[in-house]
Every structure is written in C-alpha cells, then in structure tokens.
Amino acid sequence: ELRLLLCVNTGAFALYAQRMEGSFAKGVPNYSPIYGATEGLIAVNLHPRQNTNPTLYTLVPRAMVYEFIKISDMHLEQP
C-alpha cells in the first residue's frame, strides 16, 4: 500500500505529480522536501508540512556545481 509520494511537484514536474495524484496515488500525501538536479541541489522546502500549492522552495545558491567549457572546445566530443 502506497503511503507517501516523495517527488518534486512544481515546475515541469507538476504535470507528472498531477497524473500520479489522479491515478495510483489518489489520496496519498505528496511530500516534496528538496528540488534537485543532476548538477546538484537547487532548493529546499523549509516548511514541508505546510500544504502549499505550489510547493515553496528556498534557493541554496552555493550548493550547485557549474561546469564551464571554453567556446573553442565546444566542438570536441569530450571537452
């Protein structure tokens, strides 16, 4: 039995959260503690127990990793 849906539920992911809530996750609480990406942590939900729509995140500006590639190396397969 599914008791909790842990996912990002805002932005581009809102559509998928709505679909899950409308099908197999109907009536299941949706918990979204962080907003992450492959590059790192983007933001955290400081108030995850508050049921806000949309979920409100606080940016974590120093948690991201940025990779810069020289324009002259952009044509390389592995710059």
Side-chain angles (χ1 to χ4, degrees):
E1 177 180 331
L2 185 61
R3 295 176 187 231
L4 179 69
L5 185 59
L6 178 65
C7 68
V8 175
N9 57 8
T10 61
F13 301 103
L15 173 66
Y16 304 107
Q18 290 171 1
R19 284 188 177 181
M20 287 187 285
E21 290 170 355
S23 60
F24 69 90
K26 186 174 267 181
V28 177
N30 189 322
Y31 178 58
S32 186
I34 63 170
Y35 196 109
T38 55
E39 297 85 5
L41 177 66
I42 296 174
V44 295
N45 182 355
L46 296 179
H47 307 285
R49 292 183 183 206
Q50 291 180 1
N51 191 12
T52 59
N53 190 10
T55 300
L56 302 175
Y57 298 99
T58 301
L59 292 175
V60 183
R62 295 183 183 204
M64 292 296 296
V65 174
Y66 297 96
E67 181 178 357
F68 296 97
I69 300 170
K70 293 180 186 178
I71 292 175
S72 60
D73 292 342
M74 287 179 56
H75 70 283
L76 301 174
E77 188 172 324
Q78 291 292 322

PDB file of all heavy atoms in Angstrom, residues 17-47:
ATOM      1  N   ALA A  17       3.148  14.990 -11.265  1.00  0.00           N
ATOM      2  CA  ALA A  17       2.584  14.881  -9.921  1.00  0.00           C
ATOM      3  C   ALA A  17       1.062  14.826  -9.993  1.00  0.00           C
ATOM      4  O   ALA A  17       0.427  14.021  -9.300  1.00  0.00           O
ATOM      5  CB  ALA A  17       3.047  16.046  -9.054  1.00  0.00           C
ATOM      6  N   GLN A  18       0.466  15.644 -10.852  1.00  0.00           N
ATOM      7  CA  GLN A  18      -0.991  15.646 -11.005  1.00  0.00           C
ATOM      8  C   GLN A  18      -1.487  14.318 -11.557  1.00  0.00           C
ATOM      9  O   GLN A  18      -2.502  13.788 -11.115  1.00  0.00           O
ATOM     10  CB  GLN A  18      -1.428  16.790 -11.923  1.00  0.00           C
ATOM     11  CG  GLN A  18      -1.267  18.148 -11.316  1.00  0.00           C
ATOM     12  CD  GLN A  18      -1.500  19.257 -12.336  1.00  0.00           C
ATOM     13  OE1 GLN A  18      -1.795  19.004 -13.506  1.00  0.00           O
ATOM     14  NE2 GLN A  18      -1.344  20.498 -11.899  1.00  0.00           N
ATOM     15  N   ARG A  19      -0.751  13.766 -12.516  1.00  0.00           N
ATOM     16  CA  ARG A  19      -1.150  12.472 -13.088  1.00  0.00           C
ATOM     17  C   ARG A  19      -1.097  11.365 -12.044  1.00  0.00           C
ATOM     18  O   ARG A  19      -1.965  10.501 -12.002  1.00  0.00           O
ATOM     19  CB  ARG A  19      -0.269  12.114 -14.279  1.00  0.00           C
ATOM     20  CG  ARG A  19      -0.608  12.890 -15.515  1.00  0.00           C
ATOM     21  CD  ARG A  19       0.160  12.371 -16.698  1.00  0.00           C
ATOM     22  NE  ARG A  19      -0.230  13.077 -17.895  1.00  0.00           N
ATOM     23  CZ  ARG A  19       0.258  12.818 -19.078  1.00  0.00           C
ATOM     24  NH1 ARG A  19       1.176  11.884 -19.230  1.00  0.00           N
ATOM     25  NH2 ARG A  19      -0.137  13.492 -20.124  1.00  0.00           N
ATOM     26  N   MET A  20      -0.041  11.378 -11.226  1.00  0.00           N
ATOM     27  CA  MET A  20       0.072  10.348 -10.192  1.00  0.00           C
ATOM     28  C   MET A  20      -1.037  10.504  -9.152  1.00  0.00           C
ATOM     29  O   MET A  20      -1.620   9.519  -8.723  1.00  0.00           O
ATOM     30  CB  MET A  20       1.447  10.411  -9.528  1.00  0.00           C
ATOM     31  CG  MET A  20       2.553   9.898 -10.421  1.00  0.00           C
ATOM     32  SD  MET A  20       4.142   9.788  -9.594  1.00  0.00           S
ATOM     33  CE  MET A  20       4.614  11.500  -9.507  1.00  0.00           C
ATOM     34  N   GLU A  21      -1.313  11.754  -8.778  1.00  0.00           N
ATOM     35  CA  GLU A  21      -2.363  12.001  -7.786  1.00  0.00           C
ATOM     36  C   GLU A  21      -3.741  11.645  -8.331  1.00  0.00           C
ATOM     37  O   GLU A  21      -4.650  11.315  -7.574  1.00  0.00           O
ATOM     38  CB  GLU A  21      -2.338  13.462  -7.348  1.00  0.00           C
ATOM     39  CG  GLU A  21      -1.127  13.814  -6.510  1.00  0.00           C
ATOM     40  CD  GLU A  21      -0.974  15.313  -6.269  1.00  0.00           C
ATOM     41  OE1 GLU A  21      -1.763  16.100  -6.826  1.00  0.00           O
ATOM     42  OE2 GLU A  21      -0.055  15.687  -5.536  1.00  0.00           O
ATOM     43  N   GLY A  22      -3.891  11.692  -9.649  1.00  0.00           N
ATOM     44  CA  GLY A  22      -5.170  11.356 -10.270  1.00  0.00           C
ATOM     45  C   GLY A  22      -5.333   9.886 -10.574  1.00  0.00           C
ATOM     46  O   GLY A  22      -6.406   9.457 -10.997  1.00  0.00           O
ATOM     47  N   SER A  23      -4.289   9.097 -10.370  1.00  0.00           N
ATOM     48  CA  SER A  23      -4.396   7.669 -10.674  1.00  0.00           C
ATOM     49  C   SER A  23      -3.994   6.832  -9.463  1.00  0.00           C
ATOM     50  O   SER A  23      -4.719   6.790  -8.482  1.00  0.00           O
ATOM     51  CB  SER A  23      -3.545   7.328 -11.903  1.00  0.00           C
ATOM     52  OG  SER A  23      -2.176   7.646 -11.674  1.00  0.00           O
ATOM     53  N   PHE A  24      -2.836   6.215  -9.492  1.00  0.00           N
ATOM     54  CA  PHE A  24      -2.459   5.265  -8.445  1.00  0.00           C
ATOM     55  C   PHE A  24      -2.148   5.913  -7.100  1.00  0.00           C
ATOM     56  O   PHE A  24      -2.115   5.225  -6.084  1.00  0.00           O
ATOM     57  CB  PHE A  24      -1.273   4.400  -8.887  1.00  0.00           C
ATOM     58  CG  PHE A  24       0.026   5.136  -9.006  1.00  0.00           C
ATOM     59  CD1 PHE A  24       0.878   5.241  -7.919  1.00  0.00           C
ATOM     60  CD2 PHE A  24       0.399   5.719 -10.197  1.00  0.00           C
ATOM     61  CE1 PHE A  24       2.071   5.920  -8.014  1.00  0.00           C
ATOM     62  CE2 PHE A  24       1.595   6.385 -10.314  1.00  0.00           C
ATOM     63  CZ  PHE A  24       2.430   6.491  -9.214  1.00  0.00           C
ATOM     64  N   ALA A  25      -1.920   7.227  -7.055  1.00  0.00           N
ATOM     65  CA  ALA A  25      -1.579   7.897  -5.793  1.00  0.00           C
ATOM     66  C   ALA A  25      -2.731   8.754  -5.264  1.00  0.00           C
ATOM     67  O   ALA A  25      -2.507   9.663  -4.479  1.00  0.00           O
ATOM     68  CB  ALA A  25      -0.330   8.739  -5.984  1.00  0.00           C
ATOM     69  N   LYS A  26      -3.942   8.446  -5.681  1.00  0.00           N
ATOM     70  CA  LYS A  26      -5.108   9.226  -5.241  1.00  0.00           C
ATOM     71  C   LYS A  26      -5.253   9.139  -3.721  1.00  0.00           C
ATOM     72  O   LYS A  26      -5.284   8.062  -3.147  1.00  0.00           O
ATOM     73  CB  LYS A  26      -6.365   8.709  -5.916  1.00  0.00           C
ATOM     74  CG  LYS A  26      -7.604   9.550  -5.623  1.00  0.00           C
ATOM     75  CD  LYS A  26      -8.775   9.086  -6.418  1.00  0.00           C
ATOM     76  CE  LYS A  26      -8.781   9.925  -7.687  1.00  0.00           C
ATOM     77  NZ  LYS A  26      -9.874   9.631  -8.571  1.00  0.00           N
ATOM     78  N   GLY A  27      -5.289  10.305  -3.066  1.00  0.00           N
ATOM     79  CA  GLY A  27      -5.435  10.360  -1.621  1.00  0.00           C
ATOM     80  C   GLY A  27      -4.149  10.147  -0.838  1.00  0.00           C
ATOM     81  O   GLY A  27      -4.155  10.187   0.374  1.00  0.00           O
ATOM     82  N   VAL A  28      -3.037   9.958  -1.546  1.00  0.00           N
ATOM     83  CA  VAL A  28      -1.745   9.738  -0.889  1.00  0.00           C
ATOM     84  C   VAL A  28      -1.063  11.089  -0.684  1.00  0.00           C
ATOM     85  O   VAL A  28      -0.994  11.892  -1.616  1.00  0.00           O
ATOM     86  CB  VAL A  28      -0.852   8.810  -1.747  1.00  0.00           C
ATOM     87  CG1 VAL A  28       0.515   8.641  -1.119  1.00  0.00           C
ATOM     88  CG2 VAL A  28      -1.521   7.461  -1.946  1.00  0.00           C
ATOM     89  N   PRO A  29      -0.550  11.378   0.509  1.00  0.00           N
ATOM     90  CA  PRO A  29       0.138  12.655   0.737  1.00  0.00           C
ATOM     91  C   PRO A  29       1.353  12.809  -0.171  1.00  0.00           C
ATOM     92  O   PRO A  29       2.084  11.850  -0.433  1.00  0.00           O
ATOM     93  CB  PRO A  29       0.577  12.578   2.197  1.00  0.00           C
ATOM     94  CG  PRO A  29      -0.242  11.516   2.810  1.00  0.00           C
ATOM     95  CD  PRO A  29      -0.600  10.560   1.716  1.00  0.00           C
ATOM     96  N   ASN A  30       1.544  14.019  -0.664  1.00  0.00           N
ATOM     97  CA  ASN A  30       2.662  14.340  -1.546  1.00  0.00           C
ATOM     98  C   ASN A  30       3.671  15.144  -0.741  1.00  0.00           C
ATOM     99  O   ASN A  30       3.353  16.212  -0.227  1.00  0.00           O
ATOM    100  CB  ASN A  30       2.153  15.152  -2.731  1.00  0.00           C
ATOM    101  CG  ASN A  30       3.193  15.351  -3.794  1.00  0.00           C
ATOM    102  OD1 ASN A  30       4.365  15.546  -3.494  1.00  0.00           O
ATOM    103  ND2 ASN A  30       2.769  15.313  -5.029  1.00  0.00           N
ATOM    104  N   TYR A  31       4.891  14.638  -0.649  1.00  0.00           N
ATOM    105  CA  TYR A  31       5.944  15.273   0.147  1.00  0.00           C
ATOM    106  C   TYR A  31       7.090  15.655  -0.772  1.00  0.00           C
ATOM    107  O   TYR A  31       7.636  14.810  -1.473  1.00  0.00           O
ATOM    108  CB  TYR A  31       6.396  14.295   1.229  1.00  0.00           C
ATOM    109  CG  TYR A  31       7.516  14.793   2.119  1.00  0.00           C
ATOM    110  CD1 TYR A  31       7.380  15.954   2.852  1.00  0.00           C
ATOM    111  CD2 TYR A  31       8.693  14.076   2.225  1.00  0.00           C
ATOM    112  CE1 TYR A  31       8.395  16.396   3.673  1.00  0.00           C
ATOM    113  CE2 TYR A  31       9.713  14.511   3.049  1.00  0.00           C
ATOM    114  CZ  TYR A  31       9.554  15.666   3.773  1.00  0.00           C
ATOM    115  OH  TYR A  31      10.567  16.108   4.587  1.00  0.00           O
ATOM    116  N   SER A  32       7.447  16.928  -0.783  1.00  0.00           N
ATOM    117  CA  SER A  32       8.492  17.427  -1.670  1.00  0.00           C
ATOM    118  C   SER A  32       9.524  18.228  -0.871  1.00  0.00           C
ATOM    119  O   SER A  32       9.463  19.455  -0.815  1.00  0.00           O
ATOM    120  CB  SER A  32       7.860  18.300  -2.763  1.00  0.00           C
ATOM    121  OG  SER A  32       8.828  18.685  -3.705  1.00  0.00           O
ATOM    122  N   PRO A  33      10.491  17.536  -0.226  1.00  0.00           N
ATOM    123  CA  PRO A  33      11.431  18.225   0.657  1.00  0.00           C
ATOM    124  C   PRO A  33      12.539  18.991  -0.059  1.00  0.00           C
ATOM    125  O   PRO A  33      13.053  19.963   0.476  1.00  0.00           O
ATOM    126  CB  PRO A  33      12.018  17.104   1.504  1.00  0.00           C
ATOM    127  CG  PRO A  33      11.956  15.910   0.614  1.00  0.00           C
ATOM    128  CD  PRO A  33      10.704  16.087  -0.197  1.00  0.00           C
ATOM    129  N   ILE A  34      12.921  18.550  -1.254  1.00  0.00           N
ATOM    130  CA  ILE A  34      14.020  19.216  -1.968  1.00  0.00           C
ATOM    131  C   ILE A  34      13.696  19.342  -3.447  1.00  0.00           C
ATOM    132  O   ILE A  34      12.834  18.649  -3.966  1.00  0.00           O
ATOM    133  CB  ILE A  34      15.369  18.462  -1.815  1.00  0.00           C
ATOM    134  CG1 ILE A  34      15.282  17.079  -2.442  1.00  0.00           C
ATOM    135  CG2 ILE A  34      15.794  18.398  -0.370  1.00  0.00           C
ATOM    136  CD1 ILE A  34      16.610  16.365  -2.563  1.00  0.00           C
ATOM    137  N   TYR A  35      14.407  20.247  -4.106  1.00  0.00           N
ATOM    138  CA  TYR A  35      14.337  20.388  -5.556  1.00  0.00           C
ATOM    139  C   TYR A  35      15.762  20.208  -6.045  1.00  0.00           C
ATOM    140  O   TYR A  35      16.623  21.046  -5.800  1.00  0.00           O
ATOM    141  CB  TYR A  35      13.807  21.765  -5.939  1.00  0.00           C
ATOM    142  CG  TYR A  35      13.349  21.868  -7.368  1.00  0.00           C
ATOM    143  CD1 TYR A  35      11.998  21.972  -7.655  1.00  0.00           C
ATOM    144  CD2 TYR A  35      14.240  21.844  -8.421  1.00  0.00           C
ATOM    145  CE1 TYR A  35      11.553  22.067  -8.964  1.00  0.00           C
ATOM    146  CE2 TYR A  35      13.810  21.940  -9.730  1.00  0.00           C
ATOM    147  CZ  TYR A  35      12.458  22.043  -9.998  1.00  0.00           C
ATOM    148  OH  TYR A  35      12.017  22.127 -11.289  1.00  0.00           O
ATOM    149  N   GLY A  36      16.022  19.092  -6.679  1.00  0.00           N
ATOM    150  CA  GLY A  36      17.378  18.782  -7.108  1.00  0.00           C
ATOM    151  C   GLY A  36      17.488  18.653  -8.610  1.00  0.00           C
ATOM    152  O   GLY A  36      16.501  18.598  -9.332  1.00  0.00           O
ATOM    153  N   ALA A  37      18.718  18.608  -9.066  1.00  0.00           N
ATOM    154  CA  ALA A  37      19.041  18.424 -10.474  1.00  0.00           C
ATOM    155  C   ALA A  37      20.322  17.609 -10.559  1.00  0.00           C
ATOM    156  O   ALA A  37      20.984  17.378  -9.548  1.00  0.00           O
ATOM    157  CB  ALA A  37      19.222  19.786 -11.153  1.00  0.00           C
ATOM    158  N   THR A  38      20.684  17.197 -11.752  1.00  0.00           N
ATOM    159  CA  THR A  38      21.917  16.423 -11.905  1.00  0.00           C
ATOM    160  C   THR A  38      23.133  17.236 -11.502  1.00  0.00           C
ATOM    161  O   THR A  38      24.152  16.676 -11.108  1.00  0.00           O
ATOM    162  CB  THR A  38      22.086  15.929 -13.347  1.00  0.00           C
ATOM    163  OG1 THR A  38      22.032  17.045 -14.233  1.00  0.00           O
ATOM    164  CG2 THR A  38      21.003  14.929 -13.709  1.00  0.00           C
ATOM    165  N   GLU A  39      23.050  18.548 -11.589  1.00  0.00           N
ATOM    166  CA  GLU A  39      24.170  19.406 -11.235  1.00  0.00           C
ATOM    167  C   GLU A  39      24.302  19.607  -9.733  1.00  0.00           C
ATOM    168  O   GLU A  39      25.319  20.063  -9.253  1.00  0.00           O
ATOM    169  CB  GLU A  39      24.035  20.775 -11.911  1.00  0.00           C
ATOM    170  CG  GLU A  39      24.070  20.730 -13.412  1.00  0.00           C
ATOM    171  CD  GLU A  39      22.714  20.428 -14.032  1.00  0.00           C
ATOM    172  OE1 GLU A  39      21.696  20.344 -13.302  1.00  0.00           O
ATOM    173  OE2 GLU A  39      22.669  20.259 -15.258  1.00  0.00           O
ATOM    174  N   GLY A  40      23.272  19.305  -8.977  1.00  0.00           N
ATOM    175  CA  GLY A  40      23.333  19.477  -7.534  1.00  0.00           C
ATOM    176  C   GLY A  40      21.999  19.897  -6.953  1.00  0.00           C
ATOM    177  O   GLY A  40      20.970  19.888  -7.618  1.00  0.00           O
ATOM    178  N   LEU A  41      22.031  20.283  -5.712  1.00  0.00           N
ATOM    179  CA  LEU A  41      20.834  20.730  -5.002  1.00  0.00           C
ATOM    180  C   LEU A  41      20.476  22.149  -5.439  1.00  0.00           C
ATOM    181  O   LEU A  41      21.324  23.041  -5.432  1.00  0.00           O
ATOM    182  CB  LEU A  41      21.093  20.704  -3.496  1.00  0.00           C
ATOM    183  CG  LEU A  41      19.995  21.199  -2.590  1.00  0.00           C
ATOM    184  CD1 LEU A  41      18.788  20.276  -2.663  1.00  0.00           C
ATOM    185  CD2 LEU A  41      20.505  21.320  -1.173  1.00  0.00           C
ATOM    186  N   ILE A  42      19.236  22.354  -5.803  1.00  0.00           N
ATOM    187  CA  ILE A  42      18.790  23.688  -6.210  1.00  0.00           C
ATOM    188  C   ILE A  42      18.126  24.411  -5.043  1.00  0.00           C
ATOM    189  O   ILE A  42      18.438  25.563  -4.766  1.00  0.00           O
ATOM    190  CB  ILE A  42      17.814  23.598  -7.400  1.00  0.00           C
ATOM    191  CG1 ILE A  42      18.532  23.013  -8.615  1.00  0.00           C
ATOM    192  CG2 ILE A  42      17.222  24.961  -7.717  1.00  0.00           C
ATOM    193  CD1 ILE A  42      17.620  22.754  -9.786  1.00  0.00           C
ATOM    194  N   ALA A  43      17.221  23.733  -4.352  1.00  0.00           N
ATOM    195  CA  ALA A  43      16.463  24.402  -3.297  1.00  0.00           C
ATOM    196  C   ALA A  43      15.928  23.376  -2.303  1.00  0.00           C
ATOM    197  O   ALA A  43      15.869  22.187  -2.583  1.00  0.00           O
ATOM    198  CB  ALA A  43      15.304  25.184  -3.903  1.00  0.00           C
ATOM    199  N   VAL A  44      15.514  23.889  -1.139  1.00  0.00           N
ATOM    200  CA  VAL A  44      14.898  23.043  -0.111  1.00  0.00           C
ATOM    201  C   VAL A  44      13.549  23.627   0.276  1.00  0.00           C
ATOM    202  O   VAL A  44      13.333  24.835   0.206  1.00  0.00           O
ATOM    203  CB  VAL A  44      15.793  22.898   1.148  1.00  0.00           C
ATOM    204  CG1 VAL A  44      17.063  22.170   0.827  1.00  0.00           C
ATOM    205  CG2 VAL A  44      16.088  24.242   1.769  1.00  0.00           C
ATOM    206  N   ASN A  45      12.669  22.754   0.686  1.00  0.00           N
ATOM    207  CA  ASN A  45      11.358  23.145   1.182  1.00  0.00           C
ATOM    208  C   ASN A  45      11.494  23.303   2.689  1.00  0.00           C
ATOM    209  O   ASN A  45      11.613  22.320   3.410  1.00  0.00           O
ATOM    210  CB  ASN A  45      10.339  22.060   0.822  1.00  0.00           C
ATOM    211  CG  ASN A  45       8.948  22.405   1.265  1.00  0.00           C
ATOM    212  OD1 ASN A  45       8.716  23.402   1.933  1.00  0.00           O
ATOM    213  ND2 ASN A  45       8.006  21.563   0.897  1.00  0.00           N
ATOM    214  N   LEU A  46      11.521  24.542   3.173  1.00  0.00           N
ATOM    215  CA  LEU A  46      11.715  24.793   4.592  1.00  0.00           C
ATOM    216  C   LEU A  46      10.491  24.462   5.435  1.00  0.00           C
ATOM    217  O   LEU A  46      10.586  24.318   6.650  1.00  0.00           O
ATOM    218  CB  LEU A  46      12.117  26.247   4.818  1.00  0.00           C
ATOM    219  CG  LEU A  46      13.457  26.672   4.220  1.00  0.00           C
ATOM    220  CD1 LEU A  46      13.713  28.138   4.513  1.00  0.00           C
ATOM    221  CD2 LEU A  46      14.590  25.808   4.739  1.00  0.00           C
ATOM    222  N   HIS A  47       9.349  24.337   4.808  1.00  0.00           N
ATOM    223  CA  HIS A  47       8.106  24.062   5.529  1.00  0.00           C
ATOM    224  C   HIS A  47       7.356  22.910   4.849  1.00  0.00           C
ATOM    225  O   HIS A  47       6.250  23.101   4.326  1.00  0.00           O
ATOM    226  CB  HIS A  47       7.230  25.314   5.587  1.00  0.00           C
ATOM    227  CG  HIS A  47       7.949  26.497   6.131  1.00  0.00           C
ATOM    228  ND1 HIS A  47       8.226  26.654   7.471  1.00  0.00           N
ATOM    229  CD2 HIS A  47       8.497  27.580   5.521  1.00  0.00           C
ATOM    230  CE1 HIS A  47       8.891  27.772   7.665  1.00  0.00           C
ATOM    231  NE2 HIS A  47       9.069  28.357   6.496  1.00  0.00           N
TER     232      HIS A  47
END
